[in-house]
Amino acid sequence: LGQENYEDISGFISAQANCSGSLRAMDSLPIYKALQYDALVSLNQFGYKPKNQSWNLQSIQGELYVNNAEMIMPKLVGKLNKSPFNLNAKANNMLEHVINNAELMSVYLSGSISDLQVESLLAKKDKISSQISKEKDIQLNQFLNILLPKNIEVQMELAFVRPQYHNKVFERLFLK
């Protein structure tokens, strides 16, 4: 997260990692198979406000577990523009993708968000939105600075409780 990409970051991030295996095994195996590892990243009252955007994250609490086989986020809670949310996620084959550019990565997401004012998420007039409107084919990783898998399978189940858009309140919307 280069400083040119955000206005404010706050809160606490802690991490711990364990790794075991044989460096000699790396002669015949990829690193993600030669070494066994697990890691835990914890967020406590974490906040993030990107530059030139109308959205922000506040009061983020949760943990992220990573090992050779998968990434698991059992429960992430917080606020998106003051709207409370919870999110659960799991990704298989993530490490193999990052290190070895694997063909398939599977991602599973579920969660909910309450009282979201949709118009509050719309981008401010800025360089990015101007560029998107000028270009037909925009690549997501151009702005996120990440490598996306060539083939990603995403299963998602999100509930929007009382979302609001231009003074209209909907009881509940589901995205599957």
Side-chain angles (χ1 to χ4, degrees), residues 63-82:
E63 295 180 329
L64 172 72
Y65 303 95
V66 181
N67 63 35
N68 287 62
E70 61 194 1
M71 179 276 307
I72 301 171
M73 187 175 57
K75 187 169 187 179
L76 184 74
V77 297
K79 293 181 179 181
L80 172 63
N81 287 2
K82 300 181 183 175

Side-chain angles (χ1 to χ4, degrees), residues 2 5 16 36-37 41 50 59-60 101 126 128 152 165 168:
N5 297 323
Q16 62 185 44
Q36 299 300 309
Y37 77 93
V41 177
S59 306
I60 306 297
N101 202 16
D126 60 18
I128 293 174
I152 186 167
Y165 184 68
K168 292 184 177 152

Side-chain angles (χ1 to χ4, degrees), residues 40-69:
L40 169 66
V41 177
S42 299
L43 300 173
N44 187 4
Q45 294 300 315
F46 183 75
Y48 176 73
K49 171 75 176 119
K51 274 190 180 172
N52 301 318
Q53 297 293 314
S54 58
W55 62 272
N56 64 67
L57 296 170
Q58 307 155 2
S59 306
I60 306 297
Q61 300 273 127
E63 295 180 329
L64 172 72
Y65 303 95
V66 181
N67 63 35
N68 287 62

Side-chain angles (χ1 to χ4, degrees), residues 1-148:
L1 296 173
Q3 192 169 7
E4 68 278 358
N5 297 323
Y6 65 89
E7 288 179 24
D8 187 43
I9 291 181
S10 60
F12 301 93
I13 299 174
S14 63
Q16 62 185 44
N18 301 303
C19 184
S20 63
S22 168
L23 294 177
R24 287 186 186 161
M26 289 175 35
D27 291 339
S28 59
L29 294 171
I31 189 170
Y32 63 92
K33 290 185 178 177
L35 301 176
Q36 299 300 309
Y37 77 93
D38 61 83
L40 169 66
V41 177
S42 299
L43 300 173
N44 187 4
Q45 294 300 315
F46 183 75
Y48 176 73
K49 171 75 176 119
K51 274 190 180 172
N52 301 318
Q53 297 293 314
S54 58
W55 62 272
N56 64 67
L57 296 170
Q58 307 155 2
S59 306
I60 306 297
Q61 300 273 127
E63 295 180 329
L64 172 72
Y65 303 95
V66 181
N67 63 35
N68 287 62
E70 61 194 1
M71 179 276 307
I72 301 171
M73 187 175 57
K75 187 169 187 179
L76 184 74
V77 297
K79 293 181 179 181
L80 172 63
N81 287 2
K82 300 181 183 175
S83 297
F85 72 85
N86 68 68
L87 183 66
N88 304 297
K90 181 178 179 180
N92 295 322
N93 215 19
M94 187 181 77
L95 182 65
E96 189 173 349
H97 164 69
V98 170
I99 293 175
N100 200 36
N101 202 16
E103 289 294 315
L104 177 66
M105 183 168 78
S106 300
V107 178
Y108 307 92
L109 298 170
S110 66
S112 67
I113 186 164
S114 299
D115 302 313
L116 178 65
Q117 293 185 357
V118 177
E119 59 269 12
S120 72
L121 297 179
L122 303 177
K124 293 178 182 177
K125 273 286 196 198
D126 60 18
K127 293 186 279 188
I128 293 174
S129 60
S130 299
Q131 185 174 352
I132 289 172
S133 64
K134 290 177 188 171
E135 296 179 15
K136 259 190 165 170
D137 298 320
I138 201 74
Q139 294 183 13
L140 179 63
N141 60 351
Q142 180 178 346
F143 298 111
L144 298 180
N145 198 25
I146 59 172
L147 294 174
L148 296 175

